[in-house]
């Protein structure tokens, strides 16, 4: 009494019969080209660093006009950008929405996916964008997981709801 109890037991567990999980996202994002357009050096560096870590080949520019030139040149060279991240508010030139509109109007063989990056939380405004064809919106501050999810969304992948318990070989438990 007063000391508690100690219990031990052995449970033999085997491997589950389910199929193995594929840990590489589909589509494969390795070695894709990305362009980050932002007038803030810090924002460019952070976003480019996260994309590089995700194995993207990343270029950066500070202005919308420069982005249009880079996208056109990349398309002509046969190595187009797969995705372009556009800061919404870029003073001293055209903003992200206008850059996206002009990009959509370029006679490119392959249009890059466009993602708006903003500190303002009204994503629906950017996605409507009057011909800008913006596929997704990132609201700052951007975390690696949010960036990854947004990139996957921009590439047209929707997530199916999945169970968090996988192939344990244990029976499913009824909810309480």
């Amino acid at each position: 009494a007063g000391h508690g109890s100690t219990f031990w037991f052995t449970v033999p567990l085997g491997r589950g019969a389910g199929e193995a999980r594929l840990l590489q996202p589909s589509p494969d994002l390795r070695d894709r080209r990305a362009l980050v357009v932002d007038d803030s050096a810090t924002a460019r560096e952070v976003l480019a660093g996260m994309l590089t870590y995700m194995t993207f080949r990343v270029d950066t520019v500070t202005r919308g006009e420069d982005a249009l030139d880079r996208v056109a040149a990349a398309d002509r060279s046969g190595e187009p950008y797969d995705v372009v991240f556009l800061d919404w508010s870029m003073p001293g030139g055209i903003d992200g929405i206008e850059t996206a509109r002009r990009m959509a109007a370029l006679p490119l063989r392959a249009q890059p996916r466009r993602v708006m990056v903003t500190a303002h939380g009204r994503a629906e405004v950017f996605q409507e964008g009057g011909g800008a064809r913006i596929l997704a919106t990132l609201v700052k501050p951007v975390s690696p997981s949010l960036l990854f999810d947004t990139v996957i969304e921009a590439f047209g992948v929707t997530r199916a709801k999945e169970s968090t318990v996988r192939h344990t070989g244990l029976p499913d438990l009824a909810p309480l």
Side-chain angles (χ1 to χ4, degrees), residues 133-158:
R133 298 191 343 219
I134 296 165
L135 297 176
T137 303
L138 272 170
V139 179
K140 295 176 184 178
V142 177
S143 68
S145 63
L146 179 61
L147 176 61
F148 180 80
D149 290 348
T150 303
V151 168
I152 290 293
E153 177 187 336
F155 277 86
V157 177
T158 56

Side-chain angles (χ1 to χ4, degrees), residues 33-37 48 57-61 70 74 81:
R33 289 198 72 197
L35 178 64
V36 176
V37 186
R57 292 182 293 145
V58 183
D59 293 317
T60 63
V61 294
R70 284 282 185 102
Y81 288 103

Side-chain angles (χ1 to χ4, degrees), residues 45 55 68 75 83 107 116 133 138 168:
E45 183 179 323
T55 71
L68 296 171
D75 189 71
V83 62
M116 188 63 59
R133 298 191 343 219
L138 272 170
T168 61

Side-chain angles (χ1 to χ4, degrees), residues 6-156:
T6 301
F7 297 92
W8 65 90
F9 57 92
T10 303
V11 177
L13 298 175
R15 293 189 80 151
E19 59 187 70
R21 257 178 87 192
L22 177 64
L23 297 177
Q24 179 64 33
S26 180
D28 188 349
L29 300 177
R30 291 177 291 190
D31 207 34
R32 298 279 185 137
R33 289 198 72 197
L35 178 64
V36 176
V37 186
D38 201 313
D39 60 308
S40 165
T42 302
R44 280 193 317 273
E45 183 179 323
V46 168
L47 198 53
M50 286 190 278
L51 288 164
T52 300
Y53 186 77
M54 291 178 195
T55 71
F56 279 86
R57 292 182 293 145
V58 183
D59 293 317
T60 63
V61 294
T62 59
R63 301 173 336 118
E65 294 87 348
D66 298 335
L68 296 171
D69 292 342
R70 284 282 185 102
V71 166
D75 189 71
R76 283 191 305 273
S77 75
E79 287 195 77
Y81 288 103
D82 296 294
V83 62
V84 176
F85 295 87
L86 296 157
D87 182 33
W88 171 61
S89 176
M90 291 183 285
I94 58 175
D95 67 12
I97 292 177
E98 184 58 27
T99 302
R101 273 193 203 110
R102 291 184 189 184
M103 197 174 292
L106 289 174
L108 304 174
R109 289 179 288 203
Q111 280 284 338
R113 292 154 183 88
R114 286 176 284 287
V115 176
M116 188 63 59
V117 184
T118 180
H120 306 285
R122 296 191 54 212
E124 67 279 357
V125 172
F126 304 116
Q127 289 174 337
E128 292 168 5
R133 298 191 343 219
I134 296 165
L135 297 176
T137 303
L138 272 170
V139 179
K140 295 176 184 178
V142 177
S143 68
S145 63
L146 179 61
L147 176 61
F148 180 80
D149 290 348
T150 303
V151 168
I152 290 293
E153 177 187 336
F155 277 86

